[in-house]
Amino acid sequence: MTNRYQVKLEGFEGPLDLLLHLINRYEIDIYDIPVSTITDQYMNYIQTMKELELNVASEYLVMAASLLAIKSQMLLPNINTVDEAVEEEEEDPRDELMQKLIEYKKFKRASEELKNKELEENRIYTRPQMTVEDKGEDTEPLTPGEVSVFDIVAAVQRLLKSSKQVQRNETKIKRDEISIQLRMDDIVQRVSTSKQGVSFNKLFEERTKPHIVVTFIAILELMKSNNIVCVQPNHFDELIVFKTEEP
């Protein structure tokens, strides 16, 4: 029996963080949230996390239930349509969620500003950056964290969809075990030999679920240990993986 890969992602700060990510990604007005759309996208992420055999925290499931309840409430016909006064006084079921998101966004922005100030202070005592001659080309240094964990989950989500046919044809007689450490070593070796970085999708040569899951976890572990960094030139562009430069 094959062991299930379980991982607790520190990059997932909570369901509100995921909702804010979806709102920013799809340029949704936080004061007029299309509940049906945001709920469908949220559930897609939860389903992908389960397919990747991740340990989904209960708070994500609670938020999923809340979104489904709001979606159902908004789809129900309004029995007070005749009485316009009552209809105007009726509370929008999205109000509580909207207020939570606005407050969370304020605290998140304040936290990021404090973190940036800390980084600026730390840079004062760091060693000088490498010269252009040392780097071989005039490029700005990459900053870890330019791509969130949610962006990586979305990228893997697309890979899982494209691998459905392969998964149906997988044999159950023999299933090769894949070492996470070996995948980490292989990824580091590949990105180390390319100054232009390696396409995220090219790290998933085998489109079988075991290979996708282990490669996904290997990438997260390497990002956590600051061995690699993922960047995305523009929204919805393919992710590029780089080796983190040594100080």
Side-chain angles (χ1 to χ4, degrees), residues 223-240:
M223 291 181 65
K224 183 178 178 181
S225 58
N226 200 31
N227 284 300
I228 64 172
V229 59
C230 291
V231 299
Q232 188 177 38
N234 299 294
H235 263 326
F236 304 104
D237 282 356
E238 185 177 355
L239 306 182
I240 307 296

Side-chain angles (χ1 to χ4, degrees), residues 207-222:
R207 295 299 173 86
T208 60
K209 185 175 179 180
H211 184 272
I212 291 176
V213 171
V214 175
T215 303
F216 170 75
I217 295 175
I219 290 174
L220 291 183
E221 289 296 329
L222 289 170

Side-chain angles (χ1 to χ4, degrees), residues 161-176:
K161 288 181 179 179
S162 66
S163 66
K164 293 297 184 182
Q165 183 62 42
V166 176
Q167 292 177 30
R168 284 195 292 267
N169 295 333
E170 276 188 293
T171 176
K172 296 183 180 180
I173 298 175
K174 181 180 179 181
R175 184 175 180 179
D176 295 333

Side-chain angles (χ1 to χ4, degrees), residues 96-110:
E96 184 178 355
L97 176 63
M98 181 187 69
Q99 292 301 326
K100 287 182 178 179
L101 285 169
I102 292 173
E103 288 299 316
Y104 181 80
K105 189 174 182 179
K106 290 179 181 178
F107 283 109
K108 184 177 177 67
R109 184 177 299 169

Side-chain angles (χ1 to χ4, degrees), residues 70-120:
I70 296 174
K71 179 180 177 180
S72 301
Q73 188 174 351
M74 296 193 69
L75 290 175
L76 290 174
N78 189 351
I79 59 175
N80 297 316
T81 51
V82 179
D83 191 340
E84 294 182 0
V86 175
E87 183 180 0
E88 289 179 1
E89 294 176 1
E90 208 170 286
E91 185 178 350
D92 191 323
R94 301 173 297 177
D95 285 348
E96 184 178 355
L97 176 63
M98 181 187 69
Q99 292 301 326
K100 287 182 178 179
L101 285 169
I102 292 173
E103 288 299 316
Y104 181 80
K105 189 174 182 179
K106 290 179 181 178
F107 283 109
K108 184 177 177 67
R109 184 177 299 169
S111 174
E112 290 174 351
E113 289 177 357
L114 291 174
K115 184 177 180 180
N116 290 334
K117 288 183 179 180
E118 181 183 3
L119 290 174
E120 289 176 3

Side-chain angles (χ1 to χ4, degrees), residues 12-246:
F12 286 83
E13 299 176 10
L16 290 176
D17 204 47
L18 174 52
L19 286 176
L20 272 184
H21 169 80
L22 293 173
I23 287 172
N24 293 331
R25 183 176 180 84
Y26 295 100
E27 299 180 349
I28 293 173
D29 183 1
I30 197 171
Y31 294 98
D32 187 21
I33 301 173
V35 177
S36 179
T37 301
I38 205 75
T39 300
D40 292 342
Q41 294 296 332
Y42 183 93
M43 297 305 295
N44 285 338
Y45 270 80
I46 297 299
Q47 181 59 35
T48 301
M49 290 165 68
K50 289 183 177 179
E51 285 192 50
L52 291 171
E53 303 179 23
L54 301 182
N55 183 21
V56 182
S58 59
E59 56 184 331
Y60 286 92
L61 303 180
V62 172
M63 178 59 73
S66 300
L67 288 172
L68 290 172
I70 296 174
K71 179 180 177 180
S72 301
Q73 188 174 351
M74 296 193 69
L75 290 175
L76 290 174
N78 189 351
I79 59 175
N80 297 316
T81 51
V82 179
D83 191 340
E84 294 182 0
V86 175
E87 183 180 0
E88 289 179 1
E89 294 176 1
E90 208 170 286
E91 185 178 350
D92 191 323
R94 301 173 297 177
D95 285 348
E96 184 178 355
L97 176 63
M98 181 187 69
Q99 292 301 326
K100 287 182 178 179
L101 285 169
I102 292 173
E103 288 299 316
Y104 181 80
K105 189 174 182 179
K106 290 179 181 178
F107 283 109
K108 184 177 177 67
R109 184 177 299 169
S111 174
E112 290 174 351
E113 289 177 357
L114 291 174
K115 184 177 180 180
N116 290 334
K117 288 183 179 180
E118 181 183 3
L119 290 174
E120 289 176 3
E121 291 293 330
N122 290 337
R123 287 195 186 101
I124 297 175
Y125 304 99
T126 57
R127 295 172 62 182
Q129 293 184 356
M130 297 171 61
T131 62
V132 174
E133 290 76 14
D134 293 329
K135 292 184 177 181
E137 56 183 29
D138 187 8
T139 56
E140 295 182 0
L142 294 171
T143 303
E146 291 183 11
V147 169
S148 70
V149 181
F150 302 121
D151 292 312
I152 297 177
V153 172
V156 176
Q157 185 180 67
R158 293 189 290 271
L159 289 172
L160 285 171
K161 288 181 179 179
S162 66
S163 66
K164 293 297 184 182
Q165 183 62 42
V166 176
Q167 292 177 30
R168 284 195 292 267
N169 295 333
E170 276 188 293
T171 176
K172 296 183 180 180
I173 298 175
K174 181 180 179 181
R175 184 175 180 179
D176 295 333
E177 295 295 332
I178 309 171
S179 167
I180 296 178
Q181 185 60 52
L182 286 178
R183 285 299 296 139
M184 290 171 63
D185 295 341
D186 179 54
I187 291 170
V188 170
Q189 183 178 7
R190 291 188 62 178
V191 299
S192 297
T193 57
S194 176
K195 292 183 179 180
Q196 289 74 35
V198 177
S199 165
F200 182 85
N201 289 351
K202 287 185 178 179
L203 297 176
F204 296 81
E205 302 94 341
E206 299 178 27
R207 295 299 173 86
T208 60
K209 185 175 179 180
H211 184 272
I212 291 176
V213 171
V214 175
T215 303
F216 170 75
I217 295 175
I219 290 174
L220 291 183
E221 289 296 329
L222 289 170
M223 291 181 65
K224 183 178 178 181
S225 58
N226 200 31
N227 284 300
I228 64 172
V229 59
C230 291
V231 299
Q232 188 177 38
N234 299 294
H235 263 326
F236 304 104
D237 282 356
E238 185 177 355
L239 306 182
I240 307 296
V241 184
F242 292 88
K243 177 74 172 67
T244 305
E245 294 182 359
E246 296 292 338

